[in-house]
Amino acid sequence: MSNWENKRNELISKLPTILDILEHLAKGEIEFYEKMVGSMFKYVLPTINQEGLFEIISYPDGTDKVVPLHMMQDYYRGESSPHFPSYPSLYRKGMTDDEILIERVKTCELSLLIETFPIYQVFKSGISYTFPDNSVQVFNLSVDTEALAQHYGIKTQLMDLTVDKFVAAFFATTIYKDRKYYPVDPEQDDMPKYGLFYDYVDSAINDFILQPQTGCYNPKLRVVGFQPLSRPGEQRGYVLNMKKEEDFHKLCRRRCYKFRHDAKVSQLIFNYTNRSNKLFPYSIMEEKANKIIKSKSFSKSAVELTLLKYYPQKSYDEIASKLKGHGISISSKPIVRFTEEEKKTVIKNWNAKGFKEFQKQVCVRPVYRGPLKEK
């Protein structure tokens, strides 16, 4: 072993483990909570008992989103091996413009498929909630199909974040190989020796970058939250919408923790997530998404949506020609569908237990919308 390797290993041995970092963050949360208990904000912030639940929040664009409840405005990301620079999957080294185009089409193909998913229709058509005073409010829940594409393995410009530090710890202490997650064992030659744990700090008001010229907002930080598919909810997900060449590591440099891998710690966190099964519950969408990822054919509707969303300056023929150059054909029909039997099963499960689980996990706070009178 060279002197450089010896020095490197010595420096790594002095780093904390991921458990040390989690303990440090937990202490900060306790201190924050104790301060809030004695302040005027105690009634609007989640309590410890609300951790793991969600809340419906109305956004400025008129949509309603199901947001994970959490006390801190911290968003975490774990990486089992360092990436410098740290780009979202769509912009990583080696991705050509044509490959980016193909991933965009896959995203749109999956988006169109999700729109035919029965629970998507339930979310969009509205879920009603009856308050204690018997008043009823209907929430038309927003579904972020682009973020869902990211969660099901399609490359996007979105960087995954979570408000659950233990979820981030899972990704920080595992490697992804052959479509499965494995706990890191630094004693193995092909395993990383140290990783990074990011703490991206923002505030709720900064989730929206106001554009005074248009009166609209640019959702840089987007909640994925509780969606018609359970995976993003279990991962308590957010995504950061990033531009090409924007380096996440530079955005989080002040709150980026290096940690050394420890086989026992990695196994402990892996077991805590039920060997990853808790974070990756089976979904019928996974099978469909995998078909789209592997497909060499896409629907005309997906290509047209790609043109509209990502390449408005280009022509349909130009996009089609590039796809054809990579051996990709364009079909007049969707390449993946839900069968009628699959749709019936999904609705049956939703009616039997899905909606009840939704009600258990989602809190709704009554908001007074009437006139204000001075005393």
Side-chain angles (χ1 to χ4, degrees):
M1 188 176 291
S2 66
N3 289 335
W4 180 87
E5 288 175 318
N6 283 328
K7 188 173 182 179
R8 176 177 177 270
N9 291 338
E10 184 181 351
L11 289 173
I12 290 175
S13 69
K14 294 178 180 179
L15 293 175
T17 68
I18 194 71
L19 291 183
D20 296 322
I21 294 171
L22 293 176
E23 182 180 12
H24 168 73
L25 294 172
K27 286 180 179 178
E29 290 175 358
I30 292 170
E31 291 173 2
F32 174 81
Y33 180 68
E34 289 174 345
K35 289 179 181 179
M36 290 299 103
V37 165
S39 75
M40 62 182 290
F41 298 106
K42 66 180 179 181
Y43 297 110
V44 297
L45 292 172
T47 68
I48 291 174
N49 293 332
Q50 291 174 323
E51 287 290 311
L53 300 180
F54 299 82
E55 178 178 19
I56 298 177
I57 293 180
S58 296
Y59 274 52
D61 63 351
T63 60
D64 300 315
K65 302 181 188 295
V66 189
V67 179
L69 282 168
H70 55 113
M71 290 187 295
M72 312 287 283
Q73 293 300 328
D74 292 56
Y75 306 87
Y76 306 111
R77 176 177 176 82
E79 295 183 357
S80 59
S81 58
H83 300 285
F84 306 114
S86 182
Y87 295 145
S89 56
L90 193 68
Y91 299 142
R92 287 175 189 165
K93 188 176 180 181
M95 289 292 292
T96 65
D97 288 343
D98 283 4
E99 287 171 330
I100 289 174
L101 165 64
I102 294 169
E103 293 299 316
R104 298 287 201 196
V105 179
K106 291 178 183 178
T107 295
C108 290
E109 192 74 67
L110 186 64
S111 295
L112 293 173
L113 177 66
I114 290 171
E115 290 179 6
T116 68
F117 189 62
I119 311 305
Y120 173 91
Q121 302 299 331
V122 172
F123 271 50
K124 296 294 287 185
S125 62
I127 292 179
S128 61
Y129 185 89
T130 304
F131 292 101
D133 64 356
N134 291 323
S135 62
V136 178
Q137 184 173 350
V138 177
F139 296 97
N140 301 105
L141 302 179
S142 173
V143 178
D144 193 330
T145 56
E146 189 177 54
L148 286 172
Q150 166 82 2
H151 272 264
Y152 282 95
I154 296 174
K155 295 180 175 66
T156 74
Q157 79 285 357
L158 306 175
M159 186 70 84
D160 282 323
L161 301 173
T162 175
V163 294
D164 190 327
K165 56 186 176 296
F166 294 103
V167 172
F170 168 84
F171 290 105
T173 56
T174 58
I175 62 165
Y176 189 65
K177 185 178 180 181
D178 300 327
R179 304 191 68 81
K180 288 185 178 181
Y181 284 91
Y182 299 91
V184 171
D185 181 356
E187 298 301 318
Q188 296 184 25
D189 292 337
D190 60 343
M191 291 280 194
K193 309 306 176 188
Y194 78 100
L196 299 178
F197 191 94
Y198 290 102
D199 182 359
Y200 179 80
V201 181
D202 209 318
S203 64
I205 196 168
N206 287 334
D207 287 0
F208 310 101
I209 303 172
L210 296 179
Q211 304 292 329
Q213 303 92 331
T214 61
C216 299
Y217 68 92
N218 174 26
K220 178 79 171 173
L221 180 66
R222 286 154 44 181
V223 61
V224 186
F226 195 109
Q227 298 277 351
L229 305 159
S230 58
R231 181 178 294 185
E234 293 292 349
Q235 296 181 15
R236 303 179 64 71
Y238 277 74
V239 290
L240 192 66
N241 193 14
M242 298 184 67
K243 297 177 182 178
K244 200 168 186 178
E245 305 300 331
E246 194 171 18
D247 184 356
F248 183 73
H249 184 72
K250 289 182 178 179
L251 294 178
C252 290
R253 184 171 291 170
R254 287 188 179 180
R255 291 206 179 188
C256 174
Y257 304 94
K258 288 183 180 179
F259 67 92
R260 61 181 171 85
H261 283 298
D262 181 289
K264 290 182 179 179
V265 172
S266 298
Q267 190 66 53
L268 175 68
I269 293 173
F270 191 66
N271 292 340
Y272 175 76
T273 62
N274 190 21
R275 303 180 67 81
S276 81
N277 292 322
K278 183 178 184 297
L279 302 182
F280 298 92
Y282 170 76
S283 168
I284 190 175
M285 190 61 72
E286 185 169 2
E287 174 190 336
K288 307 292 184 182
N290 287 340
K291 288 182 179 180
I292 291 173
I293 290 171
K294 297 175 182 177
S295 180
K296 298 296 286 184
S297 175
F298 300 111
S299 68
K300 183 179 180 182
S301 297
V303 176
E304 290 173 340
L305 183 59
T306 304
L307 194 68
L308 179 67
K309 288 184 67 175
Y310 303 111
Y311 302 98
Q313 75 283 6
K314 296 185 181 294
S315 68
Y316 177 88
D317 289 341
E318 187 178 355
I319 296 294
S321 176
K322 285 184 178 294
L323 294 175
K324 186 176 180 181
H326 290 273
I328 295 172
S329 62
I330 298 176
S331 169
S332 60
K333 297 179 180 179
I335 62 169
V336 181
R337 295 180 180 180
F338 293 106
T339 67
E340 290 304 314
E341 189 61 35
E342 287 171 336
K343 291 180 180 180
K344 288 179 182 178
T345 300
V346 168
I347 288 294
K348 182 180 178 182
N349 291 337
W350 173 259
N351 291 334
K353 60 180 181 180
F355 185 55
K356 291 178 182 177
E357 290 299 315
F358 177 87
Q359 289 176 309
K360 288 179 183 177
Q361 295 182 64
V362 178
C363 304
V364 178
R365 300 176 195 259
V367 177
Y368 177 73
R369 302 179 185 274
L372 298 175
K373 294 182 180 180
E374 294 184 8
K375 290 184 178 180

